[in-house]
Amino acid sequence: MAGKKQFDMDVVLDAAMVQFWRAGYADTSLDDLSKATGLNRSSIYSSLGDKDSLYLRCLDRYATRYGERYEQALSKAADDPLRAIREFFEVTLNRIADPGVPDGCLVAQTAMAIPVLSPDIAARATEALGLQRARLRTALRAAKVADADDFAVHLAAVNQSLAVMSRAGTSPKQLRAIVDVSLNALSQKRN
């Protein structure tokens, strides 16, 4: 169509997601999004919606991308729960170590900013955190782990803290030590 700028929606959404991930919602301006995506302001609004709408799309994209990896890691928890939980944490540790993405976690970053975010974004972040706990709870129950519900909350909290701590400069060795402590505690709770 003449006069219409064509672009790859996946590339644009990934660029916007990384910008939000790097700087956070509040510190990402429309000019930042324009630079990151290569779209002008009017194209952003007409193609992607307002800043809140775009952020929600990016948060969903992020949660889906990494959520699928967490699902895969936990899929064999009934057979080998410790290995499944270790692989669950590896998803996070590999993301943290990936030089192609910002440090930390977009969901954790969003959760920490809930007091200043719109109710829709706050609800979506809370939902994403709840989904992670639910995945863990399901896997731990399938493995017949004692106190599965409490451990799911604990492991989800540890997972989010890994992302926060990595952003604060904690070394990969220290992050792995944190995982090992949680796995050791979990190994003592098997039925």
Side-chain angles (χ1 to χ4, degrees):
M1 198 179 251
K4 282 262 187 201
K5 185 173 182 179
Q6 301 297 315
F7 58 89
D8 183 326
M9 185 62 81
D10 287 331
V11 171
V12 167
L13 288 173
D14 278 347
M17 180 180 70
V18 167
Q19 176 59 42
F20 282 127
W21 189 353
R22 182 174 286 117
Y25 177 86
D27 291 332
T28 297
S29 68
L30 282 174
D31 287 338
D32 295 330
L33 290 167
S34 183
K35 269 188 226 169
T37 63
L39 301 177
N40 62 37
R41 285 171 167 249
S42 65
S43 293
I44 290 172
Y45 278 114
S46 66
S47 301
L48 304 169
D50 65 7
K51 185 177 170 183
D52 276 13
S53 297
L54 177 55
Y55 194 82
L56 286 169
R57 287 177 75 174
C58 292
L59 191 57
D60 287 346
R61 186 175 189 82
Y62 179 92
T64 298
R65 178 174 295 159
Y66 292 103
E68 289 171 358
R69 295 175 190 177
Y70 289 129
E71 291 279 351
Q72 179 64 33
L74 294 172
S75 67
K76 296 186 178 140
D79 299 328
D80 191 348
L82 289 176
R83 181 174 175 209
I85 298 300
R86 180 170 296 283
E87 288 178 12
F88 170 86
F89 283 127
E90 284 298 322
V91 171
T92 299
L93 294 173
N94 289 336
R95 185 190 67 235
I96 289 168
D98 183 349
V101 298
D103 281 339
C105 168
L106 185 59
V107 172
Q109 183 178 327
T110 304
M112 289 186 296
I114 280 177
V116 298
L117 296 173
S118 75
D120 288 342
I121 294 173
R124 195 71 56 86
T126 301
E127 180 183 313
L129 291 171
L131 183 55
Q132 187 170 88
R133 284 190 302 273
R135 282 185 187 106
L136 285 160
R137 185 173 32 256
T138 298
L140 294 170
R141 285 179 179 170
K144 298 181 178 18
V145 171
D147 303 322
D149 294 348
D150 292 338
F151 256 99
V153 171
H154 169 78
L155 295 173
V158 169
N159 194 53
Q160 294 304 314
S161 72
L162 293 173
V164 172
M165 293 174 75
S166 77
R167 196 160 189 159
T170 302
S171 74
K173 182 178 178 181
Q174 289 171 317
L175 296 174
R176 289 193 179 281
I178 292 166
V179 169
D180 289 343
V181 168
S182 291
L183 290 171
N184 184 45
L186 180 61
S187 72
Q188 296 175 32
K189 284 295 190 176
R190 295 270 333 261
N191 283 345

